[in-house]
């Protein structure tokens, strides 16, 4: 019995080392623009699966158009540049968060408190969809 109990931590340790089976998207949310004619911004965290992947786009049926961007601070000046693709390492993580990578959503039709789908498209043709909670311009990120 004692030797069987010693195996439990070993089994847990080995299972924790396994790579995730699929890429996942989580903690997705959208902050509405303060001015309705301006684009809103989507944020989320991608977790890599068993192999390296390349994110080539993020879209939603609730917006007319979407673009991946990255905000940067260069010598005290904030700027933004479009991203054509984002590498996601096997088992790694990429966060799209305020002040960094984000998705601009143009013509978004959603109200605060709503949930809209975000669809992530990868270079190999795979797609993953995750729900994104919509918050007002001045509200904090949802928990």
């Amino acid at each position: 019995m004692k030797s069987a109990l010693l195996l439990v931590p070993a089994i847990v340790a080995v299972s924790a080392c396994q790579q995730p089976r699929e890429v996942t998207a989580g903690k997705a949310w959208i902050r509405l623009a303060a001015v309705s004619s301006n684009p809103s911004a989507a944020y989320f965290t991608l977790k890599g699966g068993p192999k390296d992947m390349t994110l080539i786009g993020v879209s939603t049926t609730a917006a007319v158009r979407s673009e991946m961007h990255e905000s940067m601070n260069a010598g005290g000046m904030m700027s933004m540049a479009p991203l054509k693709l984002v590498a996601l390492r096997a088992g790694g993580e990429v966060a799209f968060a305020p002040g960094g990578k984000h998705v601009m959503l143009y013509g978004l039709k959603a109200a605060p408190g709503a949930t809209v789908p975000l669809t992530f498209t990868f270079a190999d043709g795979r797609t993953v969809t995750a729900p994104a909670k919509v918050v007002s311009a001045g509200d904090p990120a949802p928990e």
Side-chain angles (χ1 to χ4, degrees):
M1 180 67 166
K2 191 174 186 178
S3 62
L5 289 176
L6 292 175
L7 285 176
V8 172
I11 292 169
V12 171
V14 169
S15 65
C17 294
Q18 292 178 336
Q19 293 284 350
R21 290 195 302 223
E22 293 296 326
V23 63
T24 61
K27 300 179 185 175
W29 61 287
I30 296 169
R31 179 170 284 135
L32 294 173
V35 177
S36 62
S37 60
N38 289 347
S40 297
Y43 308 104
F44 49 87
T45 300
L46 292 175
K47 293 190 179 182
K51 64 178 186 167
D52 292 351
M53 297 182 73
T54 303
L55 179 69
I56 60 170
V58 180
S59 62
T60 179
T61 55
V64 174
R65 176 172 59 102
S66 62
E67 296 176 3
M68 295 188 299
H69 285 201
E70 184 167 22
S71 297
M72 297 160 281
N73 186 342
M77 293 287 295
M78 288 301 290
S79 64
M80 186 171 45
L83 294 170
K84 295 214 182 283
L85 49 88
V86 175
L88 179 60
R89 305 294 281 165
E93 187 172 289
V94 174
F96 278 58
K101 292 177 181 64
H102 59 280
V103 175
M104 296 184 75
L105 301 172
Y106 296 85
L108 181 68
K109 301 290 185 214
T115 300
V116 300
L118 290 179
T119 301
F120 305 88
T121 303
F122 295 90
D124 66 0
R126 189 174 315 195
T127 61
V128 173
T129 301
K133 178 84 172 183
V134 179
V135 301
S136 293
D139 290 347
E143 295 292 321

